[in-house]
Amino acid sequence: MTQYYQNADESRLERGKRALAEIDGQAGNNVVAALADIAPDFARYLFEFPFGDIYSRPGLELRAREIATIAALTAMGNAAPQLKVHIEAGLNVGLTRDEITETIMQMAVYAGFPAALNGLFAAKEVFAARFPVQREQVA
């Protein structure tokens, strides 16, 4: 997995687009595209600040950044769409389903059972879509 450390030859926008594409894949691009008709400047901010600046900093690997993001979004308890995007991102950067599940379960201690339950149900949806069970595996 590429680390997006800041490069003087590249703009924040370019670096952010590159990072978002690899980390969030199509889910991130869908969010940006959905903003095109209402807030195109906000879409640019999404590229530049979180991905061009923060995700591109040295000091944490992308796996650690996604664990922190999944934990924070779970703890918020009201960010299911963003949590699903970052669960996908976690899988994209090498987190396992078990690591994601444990991260979300850990939040029950600090954010409460409702937040953890909501997070687990979000993860269940993402896992089901990403890893569909084949009929012969069920039998």
Side-chain angles (χ1 to χ4, degrees):
M1 185 60 41
T2 307
Q3 293 294 313
Y4 292 97
Y5 302 133
Q6 297 180 5
N7 176 344
D9 297 334
E10 176 174 61
S11 72
R12 294 170 67 215
L13 180 60
E14 293 167 336
R15 187 172 50 249
K17 284 182 176 183
R18 186 166 45 90
L20 179 69
E22 187 167 342
I23 296 165
D24 283 344
Q26 191 57 44
N29 289 330
N30 291 346
V31 170
V32 171
L35 293 169
D37 63 342
I38 188 168
D41 288 343
F42 196 78
R44 182 183 178 104
Y45 301 150
L46 282 174
F47 284 128
E48 290 179 339
F49 180 64
F51 292 95
D53 292 339
I54 302 301
Y55 271 83
S56 298
R57 292 177 53 79
L60 285 178
E61 293 182 5
L62 293 176
R63 293 176 91 262
R65 290 186 189 282
E66 285 305 328
I67 288 171
T69 303
I70 290 167
L73 291 169
T74 298
M76 288 176 68
N78 62 357
Q82 294 80 15
L83 177 58
K84 290 176 188 177
V85 167
H86 283 281
I87 290 169
E88 283 279 353
L91 293 167
N92 290 344
V93 300
L95 294 178
T96 67
R97 289 185 282 187
D98 287 343
E99 289 172 319
I100 292 168
T101 300
E102 288 297 325
T103 298
I104 294 169
M105 288 175 59
Q106 179 73 20
M107 293 304 98
V109 177
Y110 297 97
F113 275 84
L117 282 169
N118 291 340
L120 288 169
F121 288 130
K124 184 176 179 176
E125 284 184 41
V126 171
F127 297 159
R130 180 127 173 196
F131 308 105
V133 178
Q134 297 188 5
R135 292 181 187 257
E136 54 272 6
Q137 290 175 327
V138 175

